Amino acid sequence: MEEGYQNRTAFIKGAKDIAKEVKRQASKKVGRSVDRVTDEYSKRSYSRFEEDDDDEYPVQGSQDGGYYRGDSQAANDDEGGHSDSTEGHDEDDEIYEGEYQGIPRADSGKGSLAGGPGSVGAGAQQFRDIGASEAERRKDQEELAQQYETILQECGHGKFQWTLYFVLGLALMADGVEIFVVGFVLPSAEKDMCLSEPNKSMLGLIVYFGMMVGAFLWGALADRIGRRQSLLISLSINSIFSFFSSFVQGYSTFLFCRLLSGVGIGGSIPIVFSFYSEFLAQEKRGEHLSWLCMFWMIGGIYASAMAWAIIPHYGWSFQMGSAYQFHSWRVFVLVCAFPSVAAIAALSAMPESPRFYLENGKHDEGWMILKQVHDTNMRAKGHPEKVFSVTTIKTVKQIDELVDTGTDTPVWKRYRLKIRSLSQQIRNNILACFSPEYKRTTFMLMAVWFTMSFSYYGLTVWFPDMIKYIQKQEYDAKTKTFTKERMEHVTFNFTLENQVHRQGYFFNDKFLNMKMKSMVFEDSVFEECYFEDITSTHSVFRNCTFIASLFYNTDLFKYRFVDCKLVNSTFLHNKEGCMLDFSDDFNNAYMIYFVNFLGTLAVLPGNIVSALLMDKIGRLRMLAGSSVISCVSCFFLMFGNSESGMIALLCLFGGISIASWNALDVITVELYPSDKRTTAFGFLNALCKLAAVLGISIFQSFVGITKALPILFAAGALAAGSFLATKLPETRGQVLQ
């Protein structure tokens, strides 16, 4: 019996060796179908021994009894996870025409080569050592990075990249518009919605909170479900709630819509830069990512121009009764959603990042897109005869997969399990950014992002507030004061502006169809006076007495009367709600919109310089150098005591600091591998928005008190950021991880 066992064992071993040799030689000629033939041959070679002595001499192998099935998978694994779906053979070993055209078939078998759910060895995957799997995955990623760079060199830089440049530029433009929308509509919205000071500040900050959540959420999802899909979803949310915010009337509803609009647009920056970088070769990456930053500036210019052209035209409005009013600032909010809608339409025609597909074991999809890039560029350059020479591309072996719950599981349970699995994968991705390999880089970038955002957003919001404060001081200096005047039987049918009346006496006077702008009445008496069609702005009555007076169709509400006495006075048909100031606000609008227009336009020289020098002097020199110069420029703010001086300093600071932002975006993209890139970028961008909220809140509290502290805060933060930036690794000349 022992001798028979040895003979059978020797026979099985010999059959196995023969089958492996046949398989190795044949696979070079005919592809995957040979695997199945040789596997079948191996099974038949010793199946009779298994049938005769299955209980006495069990054959060790996989759970389904296929010993060489597992060995076949090991042979595939030895090939490094390559997919040969473009070799030209289908399931029956016949030529599949679509493969030479780059069209993948549904049963391409890439799961078995990438370790996915369809893998032959998927049942044994759970028994593999996790550390060894991670090491193998990192090795695959390194090999893919080198091969991917070579493929991009073959694809060239041309029509496809420039088309994608404008498409993603629209998404980045939408982000720039979102930053300016609330600041431009706030002066009108605060009157239209009767906003108090705390409510005004919350409306200004709510977008940043939304963008903070959106950057973190969509950045993490883009590494799991894809760049294109995440960007489409985020832009759709932004468009929908921007549209709704234009029509809603209540303050709380408007606040909610702007919050969700910010959540949507928050994903644009981390996804756009990661997405575009994965189509750029090494020598083009720094320059063209810097050119992409120009669309943020274009968004600011678009918002400034539209606000200037629309908001001051108060006639562009309609109302339905007294409950629903649609003023010109709402038209502006609606127009600001156009870039996001245009980005969605354009992005629908663009493909997913091929690097994302290859990182997730999807060889066919990644190969097709790279072939599309190559063919598009070659046709545009007049070389349509050039053939894409790549046949197989390295794919990264997958470790974690969504759980297959089967068809019998209820739909809600399946989605719950998928969401739970996806959340776990996102959590692991975030924690990986703080692993020993990336911990130092992540903390250094966190410090640089925070300091730059704190100073930049704090100062850029503080500048306009300081200009408004200077304007207010100049305006108050022109205030006319009247004391103990006596006006009897006088008809006022003209504008009263910027006056203070103390201890006056008004008898039988008529105030008809007029505007009161910044008027103050103190300790005055109004007897038998008639007020009709009055529109007031920043006007107030303090400690005044009204005797037998009539108010008809006015916006003189209760809060206009401070410690006043009304004796036998009547209010008829009061205007409902807070009314917009329909008086001459053109000069104020001119200053607000024109200042922001100049500030964003001043970014253009800095963008051009950074794009041209990014690949020549390196990312770190650009980042640290621009931060140092921005720090020095802060001190010139001490000498800005006029409107023109503050505007010039705003333009100087914006033009210098943009170079450091461009360098920071590029270096953040290049320091993380593809499967963690948008997650890390989204996390850092969320931290950026948090720093912006803190900077704006702190800097605004010093308006009208002192200029020294905000300037010192900003300069100190920029100095710290420039020092920490020098400790980051230089990424110029490196392949994209």
Side-chain angles (χ1 to χ4, degrees):
M1 181 175 179
E2 181 177 354
E3 181 179 356
Y5 174 81
Q6 292 176 351
N7 291 337
R8 290 177 176 85
T9 303
F11 186 90
I12 292 172
K13 185 176 184 301
K16 175 181 177 182
D17 293 339
I18 293 172
K20 289 176 64 176
E21 182 62 23
V22 172
K23 175 181 177 180
R24 188 179 301 109
Q25 296 297 328
S27 61
K28 298 179 181 179
K29 300 178 180 180
V30 296
R32 283 196 310 274
S33 59
V34 175
D35 296 351
R36 291 184 292 275
V37 175
T38 53
D39 283 342
E40 186 65 20
Y41 171 80
S42 301
K43 293 176 184 177
R44 292 176 180 177
S45 299
Y46 64 90
S47 60
R48 62 179 181 275
F49 295 101
E50 292 181 317
E51 294 170 358
D52 295 340
D53 304 292
D54 185 56
D55 296 332
E56 188 175 358
Y57 309 110
V59 180
Q60 297 180 0
S62 60
Q63 296 176 356
D64 58 2
Y67 187 93
Y68 294 112
R69 184 177 177 87
D71 185 73
S72 173
Q73 175 62 23
N76 278 341
D77 291 345
D78 291 340
E79 295 297 323
H82 287 280
S83 173
D84 52 356
S85 59
T86 56
E87 291 293 331
H89 299 280
D90 65 357
E91 297 294 326
D92 297 321
D93 199 23
E94 297 177 354
I95 293 178
Y96 174 56
E97 296 180 359
E99 290 188 350
Y100 286 112
Q101 300 172 6
I103 304 174
R105 54 192 168 185
D107 56 347
S108 60
K110 57 185 178 291
S112 62
L113 296 169
S119 173
V120 177
Q125 181 70 26
Q126 57 184 327
F127 300 104
R128 299 185 61 184
D129 180 72
I130 300 300
S133 299
E134 286 287 357
E136 185 179 356
R137 179 177 171 81
R138 284 194 294 269
K139 182 181 178 181
D140 289 348
Q141 288 176 323
E142 292 173 1
E143 294 180 15
L144 172 60
Q146 296 293 335
Q147 186 184 8
Y148 192 78
E149 180 64 35
T150 304
I151 295 173
L152 287 179
Q153 297 286 347
E154 180 179 344
C155 292
H157 189 92
K159 180 180 178 181
F160 184 92
Q161 281 86 353
W162 283 112
T163 303
L164 184 63
Y165 169 80
F166 287 104
V167 172
L168 296 180
L170 288 172
L172 198 60
M173 178 180 172
D175 182 272
V177 170
E178 193 74 20
I179 292 291
F180 290 95
V181 167
V182 173
F184 287 155
V185 304
L186 191 56
S188 300
E190 66 182 7
K191 300 169 188 173
D192 197 11
M193 298 182 178
C194 305
L195 301 185
S196 61
E197 288 298 328
N199 287 341
K200 286 192 292 184
S201 61
M202 178 55 68
L203 182 58
L205 296 176
I206 196 67
V207 173
Y208 289 97
F209 283 114
M211 295 176 77
M212 178 177 66
V213 175
F216 184 81
L217 173 64
W218 302 116
L221 281 175
D223 277 331
R224 303 308 309 173
I225 67 175
R227 282 82 162 104
R228 177 179 174 273
Q229 184 175 353
S230 297
L231 188 57
L232 280 172
I233 297 173
S234 65
L235 290 174
S236 298
I237 292 175
N238 172 255
S239 302
I240 291 170
F241 287 99
S242 292
F243 177 82
F244 286 155
S245 66
S246 176
F247 293 94
V248 296
Q249 293 290 297
Y251 167 71
S252 58
T253 312
F254 181 78
L255 202 67
F256 177 74
C257 288
R258 295 315 303 179
L259 173 66
L260 292 184
S261 176
V263 170
I265 203 61
S268 63
I269 289 182
I271 298 176
V272 161
F273 282 101
S274 300
F275 196 175
Y276 194 46
S277 68
E278 292 169 357
F279 285 92
L280 298 174
Q282 171 187 315
E283 69 275 6
K284 298 285 187 180
R285 194 181 308 125
E287 176 185 351
H288 286 272
L289 286 177
S290 298
W291 288 127
L292 185 64
C293 294
M294 293 187 64
F295 277 92
W296 198 92
M297 174 201 71
I298 295 173
I301 293 176
Y302 174 83
S304 302
M306 292 298 101
W308 194 359
I310 296 174
I311 295 180
H313 295 276
Y314 297 117
W316 297 7
S317 61
F318 67 89
Q319 61 183 31
M320 293 183 291
S322 59
Y324 188 90
Q325 300 178 357
F326 192 91
H327 294 294
S328 57
W329 68 268
R330 296 182 181 274
V331 179
F332 167 71
V333 172
L334 192 61
V335 169
C336 285
F338 289 171
S340 185
V341 175
I344 294 171
L347 189 62
S348 300
M350 302 305 296
E352 177 61 85
S353 165
R355 185 66 180 270
F356 170 78
Y357 279 140
L358 296 172
E359 289 284 345
N360 287 272
K362 298 180 179 180
H363 174 278
D364 300 328
E365 293 87 339
W367 185 89
M368 284 191 339
I369 295 170
L370 288 170
K371 184 178 185 300
Q372 178 186 350
V373 175
H374 173 274
D375 294 347
T376 302
N377 290 340
M378 291 304 108
R379 284 195 299 269
K381 293 178 180 179
H383 303 291
E385 72 283 355
K386 285 193 175 182
V387 179
F388 187 48
S389 64
V390 179
T391 56
T392 58
I393 308 174
K394 183 74 176 181
T395 53
V396 179
K397 188 166 294 299
Q398 303 302 291
I399 296 176
D400 52 350
E401 296 290 342
L402 294 179
V403 179
D404 184 8
T405 58
T407 56
D408 296 335
T409 308
V411 175
W412 66 269
K413 191 172 183 179
R414 273 184 280 171
Y415 277 103
R416 188 186 68 177
L417 291 174
K418 289 182 179 181
I419 292 173
R420 183 184 300 172
S421 178
L422 182 62
S423 301
Q424 182 64 31
Q425 292 169 359
I426 291 174
R427 177 179 176 274
N428 293 338
N429 232 16
I430 295 170
L431 293 177
C433 296
F434 294 91
S435 63
E437 184 178 0
Y438 299 104
K439 181 169 64 176
R440 182 180 181 276
T441 298
T442 300
F443 280 117
M444 296 295 291
L445 281 174
M446 286 174 61
V448 176
W449 274 90
F450 186 91
T451 53
M452 285 187 56
S453 180
F454 179 83
S455 58
Y456 177 81
Y457 285 102
L459 283 178
T460 51
V461 174
W462 179 70
F463 279 165
D465 287 344
M466 280 300 300
I467 291 176
K468 292 178 184 178
Y469 178 74
I470 293 173
Q471 288 178 334
K472 186 176 182 302
Q473 284 185 318
E474 294 177 352
Y475 187 80
D476 292 342
K478 300 176 182 179
T479 302
K480 296 180 180 180
T481 302
F482 301 89
T483 305
K484 295 183 178 180
E485 60 180 340
R486 187 178 182 90
M487 308 290 291
E488 298 182 5
H489 309 290
V490 177
T491 299
F492 297 89
N493 55 4
F494 49 86
T495 299
L496 294 176
E497 181 179 359
N498 200 19
Q499 297 177 5
V500 176
H501 296 262
R502 294 193 178 100
Q503 300 177 2
Y505 180 76
F506 300 85
F507 177 75
N508 197 21
D509 294 327
K510 294 182 180 180
F511 299 84
L512 304 176
N513 192 24
M514 61 174 295
K515 300 176 180 64
M516 293 183 179
K517 187 173 182 180
S518 298
M519 295 291 296
V520 178
F521 296 90
E522 296 180 345
D523 303 315
S524 299
V525 177
F526 296 83
E527 186 174 355
E528 297 183 11
C529 292
Y530 180 69
F531 299 83
E532 181 178 352
D533 291 329
I534 303 297
T535 301
S536 61
T537 304
H538 304 300
S539 298
V540 65
F541 298 86
R542 294 195 185 98
N543 199 28
C544 296
T545 302
F546 295 85
I547 303 172
S549 297
L550 177 64
F551 298 84
Y552 182 84
N553 192 30
T554 70
D555 65 350
L556 297 174
F557 307 121
K558 289 184 179 180
Y559 68 88
R560 303 284 190 190
F561 302 94
V562 180
D563 298 326
C564 293
K565 297 180 180 179
L566 291 95
V567 181
N568 295 330
S569 297
T570 305
F571 290 83
L572 297 176
H573 302 289
N574 269 11
K575 296 179 181 178
E576 295 187 11
C578 296
M579 306 303 295
L580 287 174
D581 180 15
F582 292 96
S583 59
D584 184 17
D585 273 347
F586 181 77
N587 290 331
N588 289 335
Y590 173 85
M591 287 304 301
I592 295 172
Y593 310 139
F594 185 66
V595 166
N596 282 279
F597 178 83
L598 288 180
T600 51
L601 189 62
V603 169
L604 179 61
N607 256 318
I608 295 175
V609 171
S610 65
L612 295 177
L613 298 180
M614 188 70 70
D615 288 319
K616 292 181 173 61
I617 68 174
R619 285 76 160 126
L620 292 188
R621 290 181 181 178
M622 180 69 69
L623 175 57
S626 177
S627 297
V628 169
I629 299 174
S630 299
C631 176
V632 174
S633 69
C634 282
F635 289 99
F636 289 101
L637 296 175
M638 295 285 189
F639 308 101
N641 295 317
S642 63
E643 291 182 17
S644 57
M646 296 296 290
I647 293 172
L649 291 171
L650 169 65
C651 295
L652 175 66
F653 178 77
I656 295 173
S657 61
I658 192 61
S660 57
W661 279 111
N662 293 356
L664 186 59
D665 290 332
V666 174
I667 201 171
T668 302
V669 164
E670 295 177 334
L671 280 176
Y672 291 94
S674 292
D675 61 337
K676 301 176 182 65
R677 181 168 296 126
T678 56
T679 299
F681 206 134
F683 171 77
L684 293 169
N685 199 254
L687 182 68
C688 164
K689 297 304 185 289
L690 177 62
V693 171
L694 293 176
I696 292 171
S697 302
I698 293 173
F699 282 43
Q700 280 184 329
S701 64
F702 290 106
V703 173
I705 299 176
T706 177
K707 290 194 299 183
L709 284 179
I711 293 172
L712 290 176
F713 281 153
L718 287 171
S722 60
F723 172 76
L724 294 172
T726 60
K727 306 299 181 181
L728 290 168
E730 176 61 74
T731 57
R732 180 181 55 159
Q734 297 181 6
V735 298
L736 197 65
Q737 296 184 58

